[in-house]
Amino acid sequence: MKTLTVALPGREYDILIERGLLDQAGERIRAVLPRASKLAVVTDTNVHPLYYDQLKASLTAAGFECWGAVIPAGEESKNAAQLAQLWEGFMEFGLTRTDGVVALGGGVVGDLAGFAAATILRGVALVQIPTTLLAQVDSSVGGKVAVDLKAGKNLAGAFYQPKLVLMDPDVLDTLPLPVFMAGMAEVVKYGCIWDADFFDFLAARPSRGELMVDIEHILYTCCDIKRQVVMDDELDTGLRMILNFGHTLGHAYELAGHYVEWSHGEAVAAGMCAAAKLGVALGITPEELPAKLEDALASLGLPTSISCDAATYAAAVGRDKKGTGADVTVILLDKIGHAVPHKMPKAQLVRLLNSFNKVP
Ligand code: GLY
């Protein structure tokens, strides 16, 4: 078992990583919620048939009464109406403040169930059991929970840390290949921003089979980096913004593809490549870096550039949460393994992006 502790004042919690951990979920949750009698398990229509019964058997054996809420799979479910349905369901189930919510699924389930847990009865215990690579290395750790609004993604939310994060790498076996590789974009991101040796380790393992041999080490390394960043800057006012590497431009590509053509991970892959080229144009990133990054991402089958017009760049940069007035902070690399936040005028960013990523 690999264990990491996210040590935040008064809200310390463990991330446990082990193959087969889903079958131990009951005893592991009992250890952190000794007084709970009920657990509301939130999952989606993809994950429910695969893992709900297995999880419920373990929870029931540990003495928990379970209720399962199943949301339609997909980003469209991360909305205020689904949130309200969960609140009502929790109350019908008879959830009390000593009970808990378990999020069993990918980022959508984790964010939605997490926000529901943060707000029902002014907050009940939350356990994250992420089932996608993206959720395991990013959204299940660090306490960001949210729903989308018409005006944009993740606009209503909170910082609400879980009591426990359980990661069973075996659940990744049922992920479609493109979904697994989309998660790899965020994995490669950690190498880019923090750990050059980890970047090289990943670049030497371009297939899913090779990556799965070392998956516990990969999950541990990513979560350890995220843990250190979150412990330094839980509320995202400083260091945490380096986790945004590739995301400002990634959001432009998601927007350009109307959120259906490109997954978040694919858009982030192309966004990281654009940020590398941007860094070169600004004299911050070494000239040879973009090709190295593109090779690593392309060998995983991820896109290294996505067409985007000037209006879409402008719209995405304009609504970036890291923007203030006329300026925006983009995350650049001064070498593989080290990120530098760079504040620049939004208009200059859009102009530069257009100069090297024109619509064909
Ligand atoms: N996903 C970026 C963060 O947690 O800050």
Side-chain angles (χ1 to χ4, degrees):
M1 170 90 66
K2 291 185 184 292
T3 304
L4 287 160
T5 302
V6 183
L8 292 164
R11 285 153 306 130
E12 185 170 299
Y13 61 95
D14 285 343
I15 304 164
L16 308 182
I17 305 167
E18 189 174 61
R19 289 182 184 274
L21 191 56
L22 199 57
D23 289 325
Q24 297 173 33
E27 61 198 91
R28 298 288 171 183
I29 297 174
R30 179 54 76 200
V32 295
L33 298 182
R35 293 192 303 132
S37 59
K38 296 188 180 203
L39 291 177
V41 180
V42 182
T43 183
D44 71 18
T45 46
N46 287 339
V47 177
H48 185 269
L50 294 169
Y51 300 117
Y52 179 73
D53 288 345
Q54 188 182 346
L55 174 63
K56 187 178 175 188
S58 173
L59 299 179
T60 308
F64 293 111
E65 185 188 343
C66 296
W67 170 71
V70 188
I71 62 164
E75 184 76 27
E76 308 74 48
S77 287
K78 220 173 98 175
N79 61 41
Q82 285 289 348
L83 177 67
Q85 272 191 34
L86 287 181
W87 287 332
E88 298 296 348
F90 293 162
M91 290 299 91
E92 278 172 35
F93 176 47
L95 208 72
T96 69
R97 294 193 73 184
T98 52
D99 296 324
V101 170
V102 178
L104 174 71
V108 169
V109 166
D111 284 8
L112 174 69
F115 196 30
T119 43
I120 194 73
L121 302 172
R122 299 202 173 86
V124 302
L126 169 67
V127 175
Q128 292 275 10
I129 308 184
T131 59
T132 64
L133 183 56
L134 195 92
Q136 290 187 339
V137 299
D138 184 20
S139 54
S140 65
V141 175
K144 283 188 180 175
V145 294
V147 293
D148 300 336
L149 301 181
K150 285 198 189 82
K153 287 172 76 170
N154 297 326
L155 289 182
F159 290 97
Y160 192 68
Q161 301 294 340
K163 288 272 184 268
L164 182 66
V165 185
L166 297 177
M167 284 183 203
D168 182 347
D170 283 348
V171 303
L172 302 177
D173 289 341
T174 48
L175 284 183
L177 183 63
V179 179
F180 179 85
M181 288 307 185
M184 279 306 298
E186 296 279 357
V187 172
V188 170
K189 181 192 79 178
Y190 287 106
C192 290
I193 63 171
W194 197 270
D195 185 340
D197 290 342
F198 185 52
F199 181 91
D200 291 340
F201 174 91
L202 296 169
R205 289 164 179 76
S207 73
R208 181 180 188 160
E210 289 164 293
L211 292 161
M212 281 305 287
V213 169
D214 289 302
I215 193 68
E216 289 179 344
H217 170 68
I218 291 170
L219 296 178
Y220 182 90
T221 305
C222 295
C223 291
D224 189 27
I225 296 169
K226 179 141 190 191
R227 173 187 83 99
Q228 292 177 60
V229 170
V230 167
M231 288 186 333
D232 184 275
D233 176 27
E234 181 190 5
L235 301 183
D236 202 5
T237 56
L239 180 70
R240 191 164 177 168
M241 69 173 75
I242 68 170
L243 298 177
N244 218 33
F245 175 58
H247 283 62
T248 301
L249 309 178
H251 291 149
Y253 302 139
E254 284 185 281
L255 195 60
H258 307 285
Y259 294 94
V260 288
E261 200 171 338
W262 305 104
S263 68
H264 177 70
E266 289 168 333
V268 166
M272 291 192 291
C273 294
K277 286 193 237 167
L278 182 68
V280 173
L282 291 166
I284 292 170
T285 301
E287 291 205 352
E288 67 283 1
L289 191 150
K292 197 173 172 187
L293 178 56
E294 283 171 10
D295 284 352
L297 293 169
S299 67
L300 295 168
L302 290 165
T304 56
S305 73
I306 291 177
S307 295
C308 185
D309 59 44
T312 308
Y313 273 135
V317 168
R319 71 163 73 151
D320 192 273
K321 288 207 278 294
K322 302 289 183 285
T324 48
D327 293 329
V328 64
T329 299
V330 284
I331 307 303
L332 304 176
L333 302 179
D334 59 3
K335 59 181 177 184
I336 293 278
H338 192 252
V340 221
H342 179 78
K343 193 170 169 179
M344 64 191 293
K346 289 176 181 172
Q348 185 199 8
L349 172 60
V350 172
R351 214 169 35 246
L352 275 171
L353 290 172
N354 277 310
S355 73
F356 56 73
N357 194 15
K358 286 194 191 312
V359 178

